[in-house]
Amino acid sequence: QVQLQESGPGLVKPSQTLSLTCTVSGGSIGSGGYYWSWIRQHPGKGLEWIGYTYYTGSAYYNPSLKSRVTISVDTSKNQFSLKLTSVTAADTAIYYCARGEFYGDYVGAFDYWGQGTLVTVSS
Amino acid sequence: SSELTQDPAVSVALGQTVRITCQGDRLRSYYASWYQQKPGQAPLLVIYAKDNRPSGIPDRFSGSSSGNTASLTIAGAQAEDEAVYYCNSRDSSGNLLGAFGGGTKLTVL
């Protein structure tokens, strides 16, 4: 059974960089076939895709966040990470890591999710 | 605004059938997946590739698609189905899982 677990600071100061790590167990990132993803949810709001990375290091981002986001992967630790720079209060959200699987060119899904971690941006 | 449009709220009587819809131009070519989120929990995949259920998802959940609309149907809704449901599909930038609908709050009466 694949499990994902987010970790990182729960409080970040405005203008600083938000850094989170997702540790994967029950499966190997390096075996390929999946897109390792970050998704966030503002308090009381809907889901927002941030981006995903492949085990090769290729990464794809939400255009609205692309200038501030970096998602990287460390296959030796079976982890992937999120960095979001120049944060403001608008970045306060629950951040989820998830595994994305593509079933073909026209269909995919996030089949496993972490429990989520609340990150608050405040001085 | 979201590239995928969902009704904000839907209600259904206990044991009745309810359909939750998701509209978007790219749904003419790309399938949607559906997620159930209960308060304080992470989203849970309930339907993928139009009408496939992950292991453990009851068969009262089904999916369909027609034109620019994807639908999630719950046949014989149970109290435990009360949740927010999100659709997901390709975004306008070509990311296959890049767009979420705004979510539909399902109330089971």
Side-chain angles (χ1 to χ4, degrees):
Chain A
Q1 178 79 346
V2 175
Q3 293 186 314
L4 296 89
Q5 178 67 60
E6 306 89 352
S7 59
L11 180 65
V12 181
K13 289 182 167 50
S15 81
Q16 294 191 342
T17 296
L18 179 159
S19 296
L20 295 174
T21 295
C22 183
T23 300
V24 179
S25 58
S28 171
I29 289 178
S31 63
Y34 302 102
Y35 288 78
W36 303 95
S37 313
W38 289 97
I39 295 154
R40 71 180 182 179
Q41 186 169 36
H42 294 104
K45 302 298 183 182
L47 301 170
E48 180 181 29
W49 174 72
I50 298 172
Y52 41 54
T53 186
Y54 199 55
Y55 79 101
T56 56
S58 299
Y60 307 84
Y61 302 122
N62 185 325
S64 69
L65 298 170
K66 188 173 183 177
S67 64
R68 298 194 293 129
V69 173
T70 302
I71 297 176
S72 58
V73 63
D74 186 338
T75 55
S76 67
K77 294 181 178 180
N78 222 30
Q79 295 176 333
F80 61 105
S81 298
L82 168 70
K83 290 190 186 300
L84 181 65
T85 62
S86 305
V87 297
T88 69
D91 295 308
T92 293
I94 297 172
Y95 287 77
Y96 295 99
C97 58
R99 189 181 83 169
E101 182 170 9
F102 294 178
Y103 305 103
D105 291 340
Y106 302 96
V107 60
F110 297 110
D111 56 359
Y112 291 97
W113 295 65
Q115 64 185 27
T117 187
L118 174 63
V119 178
T120 301
V121 179
S122 175
S123 56
Chain B
S1 62
S2 178
E3 299 180 45
L4 298 175
T5 302
Q6 297 183 243
D7 291 329
V10 170
S11 61
V12 62
L14 184 66
Q16 296 303 300
T17 296
V18 62
R19 175 176 293 182
I20 297 169
T21 61
C22 174
Q23 291 186 303
D25 286 342
R26 270 164 288 283
L27 294 179
R28 297 183 185 278
S29 303
Y30 297 89
Y31 291 126
S33 53
W34 289 92
Y35 303 84
Q36 175 193 70
Q37 188 179 35
K38 297 181 179 179
Q41 296 183 17
L44 174 70
L45 177 66
V46 294
I47 292 289
Y48 67 98
K50 192 174 80 171
D51 190 23
N52 290 272
R53 282 176 289 105
S55 174
I57 301 301
D59 61 6
R60 63 179 178 270
F61 288 86
S62 64
S64 61
S65 184
S66 177
N68 72 336
T69 301
S71 300
L72 172 70
T73 299
I74 307 173
Q78 302 300 303
E80 61 264 32
D81 299 333
E82 186 162 294
V84 180
Y85 291 85
Y86 295 94
C87 60
N88 173 267
S89 189
R90 185 185 183 272
D91 68 13
S92 58
S93 298
N95 299 297
L96 192 58
L97 301 175
F100 282 98
T104 298
K105 166 64 175 165
L106 174 65
T107 300
V108 180
L109 303 172

